[in-house]
Amino acid sequence: MRISRRAFIQTAAAMGASLAWGGEARASMVKWTEKRDLYPEGVASGDPDPNSVILWTRRPFGEPRRHVLTVEVAEDDTFRRVVAQAKAPVLASADWTTRVLVGGLKPAHVYWYRFTDAKGNGSRIGRTITAPAADDPRPVNFAFVSCQSVNEGKLNAYRRMIFEDEHAAPEEQLGFVHHLGDFIYEVVEYPDEVKTRYDRTIYEVARIPDGGKSGNLHYPLTVDGYRAVYRGYLADPDLQDARARWPFVAMWDNHEFSWQGWQSIQQAGGPPRPGQSIKVAANQAWFEYMPARVKAPSGTFETFGPPPVKDVKIEKWDANGLGDEPNNLKAINSLIAYRALRYGKHLDLIITDQHSYRSPDPFSDHSLGRLGDWKDYNGMFPDDAMQILDGGRAFSGGNPPAEIRFQEQSIPNPQRNAPPQTILGATQKAWFKDKLRKSTATWKIWGCSLGCLDWRADPENLPAGLTKKPWPKGRFANLGGGDHGSAWVERKEIYELVRDAKITGFAIVSGDRHSFWAGYAAAELPPGNFEPVGLSFVGASLASPGVMEAYEHRLAKDLPLRPLYLADRPGGAKPDWTFNMLLKHGVRSCLDYARNFDLEQARKLSNPALSPHLEFVDMGGHGYAKVRLSGDEMRTEFVCIPRPITRSERPDGGPLRYRVVHTAPLWRVGEHPLLEQQVLEGDIGLSS
Ligand SMILES: [Fe+2]
C-alpha cells in the first residue's frame, strides 16, 4: 500500500510542499537542545494520510528574511530511530512559520518530530500519527472540537482530552482532532477596556495593529492583525500541548475571517464593508498557522503569496447568490480549504466551507420586524415563514407566496425573486455531492462547521395570557437561522442524494452552536415527512460562552416566557435550563417543570410532533466530542466540563459535568438510523 517516492513527489508538487521522505531508521546526528522560548507557538501536525503528514512550527528570526531549520521524524521520542530528515525553510513573509510534508511513512503509525535551527536550538518534540491504510478494518477514533475563545475562557477541555488519551488503551486513542472552526475569534477584547463578560474574566490575547473597532471589539484588517491573533491563541499551553499530541484536521468557521462576514464581506458588530483584502489576509494567516493540504496562490508551501485585490462593493449576484465581482472571486478563491480525508476502511471525512460561498442572508430583511411583536416571543419566528424565505423564488415548486402573514400582519415576501439560500455555493456543493456519492468507506462523515439540526418550539400550546396575542394554531416557531438547521432547500438536496443514492453510514459533525446536540439528519419534520437518512451531531464550545450563560445574565426576570428558557428555583439557587426541554419537548413540559421541578411528570407533557429528530440538547454545555467508528457502529461521546472560566491546575483538566454516549448500529438501505443513549457519568439535567 505504500506509495512510491515518485507518486509522493507529484502529490507534494501539486501543493508546492517542502518535503521529506522516510527511509531506514538511524540515530539522530542533529545537535538538538530544546529551547521552547525560541518556538513560542510550539509545533503542530495536520492532515495525515496513510503515508504522509504535514509538520509545522514557527521560529521567528531577524535578518536575513529567510532561514532554514532541520526537521527530524523518528519512530521513538528519543530520536534513536530517525526515519526522515529535511530542510524546513522559515520566511519572514510567512511570519516565520514553516510547513513540511513528510512522506514515505508507515500507515497507522505514531511518529515523533522536532525542529532544530543552525545553532542547535530545538523546538519541543511533537507526536503525530499517520492515517490507517484504506483497507484497514480496525475501528477509527477521532475527536471533534470548535469555538475556543481564550479571550473569555480556558482550554481545560484539551487538558482532559490529553489526560484521557494518555491513559487510554492504544486501540482507544484518538487518531486526529477535527477542528470545526473558531480556532481564533478575530474580535478581541482588551482587558484594560473590558474586565468581564457574563461569568468570564477577559484575558489578554493580542493587540491588533491597524485594526478596526466596534464597541469593545477590536478586529484585524490586515494580515499582521490576523497573525497577532493566531499567536495570541497559540500562547495557550493546553492548545499547544494538544497540537503537539495529535494531528489536527482543521476547517475555519466564521471567526477565522469575520464574525458576521460572508464571502469577502467583512462585518463585526458594525456595518458590513467590502473586505476582499481582509478575506485574503485571513486566508493567508490561516494558511500560515494551520498545517493543511491546501494550495497557496504562490504555488509553494513556503509562503502564501497573496493575490492583489481591491476592496470593492459587490453590486451583482449570480443565480446562486455568488457575488459577481472579480475581486470577490479572487479573494474567496485565494484559498480553497474544502477537502476530504480517507482514514482506514471505515471513514471518509468530507469537510466543507460554510462561509466563503454562501448566498445573502434570507432572514435579515427589515420588513420582517413588522410582522409581529417579536420581543414578546424572545426570538421565536414562524418556522413556515422562514421556509418561504429560505426557498426564495423556488419555494413551492416555483410559486412563492406574494405575501408572508403572521397573526393579523402581512408583508410582501422579500425573497420572492431571490435564489434559494445556499450555504455551500454551487461549485462546492457539486464537489461535496460527488465525494458523497463516490465514497466507499463504511461511514461518510460530513465535517460541517455549522449545525444541521432544526431548532423548533411549539408556542401554539402556550396558555392564553403569556403573550399579547396567541401564536397561530398549527404553526411551529423556529429559534435558529444562519446554519443548515434552516437551510431547508440545500439540506434537502443533500439528504435526498443520500437517500436516492442508497448511501448508508451518513453522519454529520458540527460546531458553532456552543452547545451539544445529538439527533437525526432529516429533511423535514412533522407535519412534513420525517424520514431520517443519517445521524447529526453538534459539539459544544471548548471555551466560548453559550446561550445559557447569556440567559442567566441577561434574560429579563419579568419576561412572561422566561420559564421556557430558565426555571428559577425558589431561594435563589441556579436556575434549571428549560431551554433544552423547550427544543426537545415543547412549552407544556417547560411550564410544568418550572412549577413543580418534576422531570418525569414534565416529560409526560412532551409534544411528540415537535422534535422527533432530537435525542439530546444541552445549550449550556462545554467540552469536546469523541467518535469511534467500526464496521457496524458509530459511537459518539460528549465529554462535558463545567464553564471553563479559570485554568484548572489538575492534570486531568478539572471535574466533569457528564459523559454521555450516543450509539447507532450501522443501518441498511431503507432502514432508519437509531441512536441509543447512555449516561456514563454525571448529570445531564434537562438534556434528554
Ligand atoms: Fe464559536
Side-chain angles (χ1 to χ4, degrees):
M1 289 302 288
R2 292 179 70 173
I3 62 166
S4 70
R5 184 182 165 85
R6 200 184 142 135
F8 170 71
I9 288 169
Q10 279 167 0
T11 311
M15 286 187 283
S18 311
L19 54 97
W21 181 254
E24 290 303 306
R26 64 187 73 175
S28 172
M29 306 280 277
V30 175
K31 232 174 89 9
W32 166 88
T33 308
E34 188 175 295
K35 289 276 173 63
R36 288 199 188 199
D37 56 317
L38 296 179
Y39 298 80
E41 288 75 30
V43 297
S45 68
D47 283 16
D49 78 7
N51 303 100
S52 65
V53 65
I54 302 166
L55 306 179
W56 178 96
T57 196
R58 177 169 181 271
R59 167 72 175 94
F61 291 94
E63 296 297 327
R65 311 295 280 167
R66 185 178 193 273
H67 290 250
V68 178
L69 308 177
T70 299
V71 61
E72 296 172 280
V73 182
E75 290 184 322
D76 65 320
D77 60 1
T78 59
F79 290 77
R80 290 199 186 92
R81 297 200 307 279
V82 174
V83 296
Q85 179 176 325
K87 299 292 168 206
V90 292
L91 279 70
S93 64
D95 202 21
W96 304 111
T97 60
T98 185
R99 289 141 292 281
V100 180
L101 181 68
V102 185
L105 303 176
K106 296 172 192 156
H109 210 69
V110 174
Y111 290 96
W112 280 265
Y113 61 95
R114 65 187 186 193
F115 296 85
T116 312
D117 72 14
K119 293 190 173 139
N121 301 310
S123 71
R124 67 183 292 174
I125 292 168
R127 170 185 177 271
T128 191
I129 312 156
T130 47
D135 59 352
D136 189 328
R138 288 175 293 179
V140 165
N141 296 285
F142 70 94
F144 65 95
V145 299
S146 57
C147 299
Q148 56 187 32
S149 173
V150 295
N151 207 186
E152 299 189 334
K154 292 294 172 185
L155 297 173
N156 298 330
Y158 279 135
R159 180 61 38 209
R160 173 158 285 278
M161 238 166 88
I162 294 166
F163 180 87
E164 293 194 359
D165 203 55
E166 283 172 349
H167 292 82
E171 67 274 15
E172 299 288 338
Q173 287 180 339
L174 300 170
F176 64 94
V177 175
H178 182 26
H179 201 298
L180 284 150
D182 293 358
F183 189 95
I184 59 160
Y185 283 75
E186 98 292 4
V187 282
V188 175
E189 296 153 293
Y190 293 176
D192 44 283
E193 293 177 355
V194 48
K195 298 238 163 342
T196 58
R197 192 166 82 104
Y198 309 141
D199 287 354
R200 310 303 185 106
T201 302
I202 304 304
Y203 298 104
E204 177 73 31
V205 169
R207 300 285 150 157
I208 297 175
D210 308 315
K213 194 178 180 198
S214 167
N216 286 326
L217 303 174
H218 298 259
Y219 52 82
L221 298 169
T222 64
V223 70
D224 282 333
Y226 283 102
R227 287 165 167 171
V229 183
Y230 277 98
R231 292 197 300 267
Y233 270 69
L234 287 169
D236 183 275
D238 297 316
L239 174 56
Q240 271 199 27
D241 286 356
R243 293 231 296 183
R245 179 167 178 82
W246 301 285
F248 273 48
V249 177
M251 173 49 90
W252 57 66
D253 195 40
N254 54 329
H255 282 290
E256 281 85 346
F257 165 46
S258 172
W259 172 23
Q260 297 145 313
W262 52 287
Q263 294 189 25
S264 66
I265 297 165
Q266 188 273 352
Q267 188 175 10
R273 80 165 96 192
Q276 284 87 342
S277 67
I278 310 170
K279 175 70 173 169
V280 170
N283 282 351
Q284 175 169 352
W286 193 89
F287 170 83
E288 288 169 350
Y289 280 86
M290 310 295 281
R293 286 177 200 260
V294 291
K295 189 173 179 181
S298 68
T300 85
F301 242 25
E302 290 194 7
T303 182
F304 185 71
V309 288
K310 288 200 181 79
D311 295 328
V312 180
K313 188 163 188 228
I314 303 168
E315 315 263 14
K316 256 175 43 208
W317 310 89
D318 75 8
N320 297 297
L322 187 67
D324 196 359
E325 192 287 313
N327 295 277
N328 179 53
L329 298 176
K330 217 196 253 186
I332 61 183
N333 290 320
S334 67
L335 189 64
I336 309 267
Y338 58 82
R339 62 202 193 278
L341 170 134
R342 177 66 186 239
Y343 202 89
K345 183 172 161 50
H346 301 308
L347 171 60
D348 268 321
L349 179 62
I350 312 172
I351 304 162
T352 55
D353 169 354
Q354 279 59 246
H355 297 280
S356 303
Y357 318 105
R358 65 182 304 153
S359 54
D361 179 6
F363 310 125
S364 62
D365 198 90
H366 289 302
S367 65
L368 298 170
R370 295 204 308 269
L371 204 50
D373 194 352
W374 303 120
K375 231 169 82 187
D376 221 22
Y377 291 109
N378 191 42
M380 294 187 196
F381 194 82
D383 191 70
D384 49 5
M386 279 180 69
Q387 297 199 28
I388 293 170
L389 297 166
D390 171 66
R393 62 178 173 237
F395 186 79
S396 183
N399 290 299
E403 293 191 324
I404 296 178
R405 272 177 248 276
F406 183 70
Q407 293 167 336
E408 295 94 60
Q409 309 295 321
S410 72
I411 55 160
N413 175 2
Q415 292 296 109
R416 195 179 174 188
N417 298 310
Q421 181 186 200
T422 173
I423 290 177
L424 298 178
T427 305
Q428 178 180 220
K429 187 156 51 188
W431 169 87
F432 175 66
K433 289 166 73 176
D434 187 57
K435 282 280 165 196
L436 205 47
R437 225 181 267 118
K438 289 184 179 150
S439 169
T440 55
T442 313
W443 295 93
K444 297 90 188 163
I445 306 290
W446 180 13
C448 175
S449 64
L450 297 180
C452 299
L453 291 161
D454 301 67
W455 16 9
R456 296 208 301 188
D458 56 351
E460 62 166 327
N461 293 328
L462 286 169
L466 281 181
T467 53
K468 284 184 208 106
K469 291 177 204 162
W471 189 277
K473 288 286 170 197
R475 296 177 73 173
F476 285 101
N478 193 296
L479 291 91
D483 63 19
H484 271 107
S486 53
W488 290 276
V489 172
E490 180 158 283
R491 201 177 64 176
K492 187 172 184 172
E493 187 182 337
I494 292 161
Y495 293 175
E496 284 185 351
L497 164 73
V498 171
R499 184 194 64 196
D500 298 344
K502 301 187 175 5
I503 295 168
T504 63
F506 172 67
I508 304 164
V509 296
S510 310
D512 169 63
R513 289 186 182 178
H514 301 188
S515 46
F516 281 121
W517 302 55
Y520 304 100
E524 293 177 34
L525 298 180
N529 194 13
F530 178 62
E531 191 187 6
V533 298
L535 306 170
S536 193
F537 300 96
V538 180
S541 70
L542 289 161
S544 316
V547 69
M548 293 324 306
E549 187 173 343
Y551 279 170
E552 284 177 2
H553 288 262
R554 290 195 182 162
L555 194 69
K557 292 266 189 227
D558 58 354
L559 182 77
L561 296 189
R562 183 175 165 92
L564 305 184
Y565 304 92
L566 290 171
D568 295 302
R569 296 242 175 203
K574 270 207 146 204
D576 286 39
W577 297 339
T578 38
F579 194 11
N580 296 336
M581 185 175 257
L582 174 69
L583 294 167
K584 182 160 161 52
H585 297 288
V587 300
R588 287 186 177 130
S589 294
C590 293
L591 295 175
D592 188 81
Y593 184 81
R595 257 193 313 271
N596 303 308
F597 295 97
D598 182 336
L599 188 52
E600 210 174 311
Q601 185 191 310
R603 281 195 191 129
K604 283 185 189 145
L605 300 172
S606 180
N607 177 355
L610 175 65
S611 291
H613 64 305
L614 295 182
E615 295 288 354
F616 185 92
V617 190
D618 184 3
M619 299 301 290
H622 298 282
Y624 61 94
K626 246 166 64 174
V627 174
R628 180 181 165 86
L629 302 169
S630 68
D632 53 13
E633 185 183 275
M634 177 173 185
R635 180 185 190 276
T636 307
E637 179 175 321
F638 293 156
V639 182
C640 181
I641 60 166
R643 215 166 274 174
I645 295 170
T646 54
R647 184 167 193 248
S648 169
E649 292 307 323
R650 279 168 46 172
D652 66 356
L656 273 189
R657 265 188 60 215
Y658 58 77
R659 184 192 306 273
V660 63
V661 167
H662 290 90
T663 310
L666 182 64
W667 56 96
R668 287 192 204 91
V669 176
E671 286 179 351
H672 284 189
L674 200 61
L675 289 166
E676 193 189 292
Q677 182 179 92
Q678 222 190 334
V679 181
L680 299 185
E681 276 181 73
D683 180 2
I684 61 170
L686 309 186
S687 290
S688 70

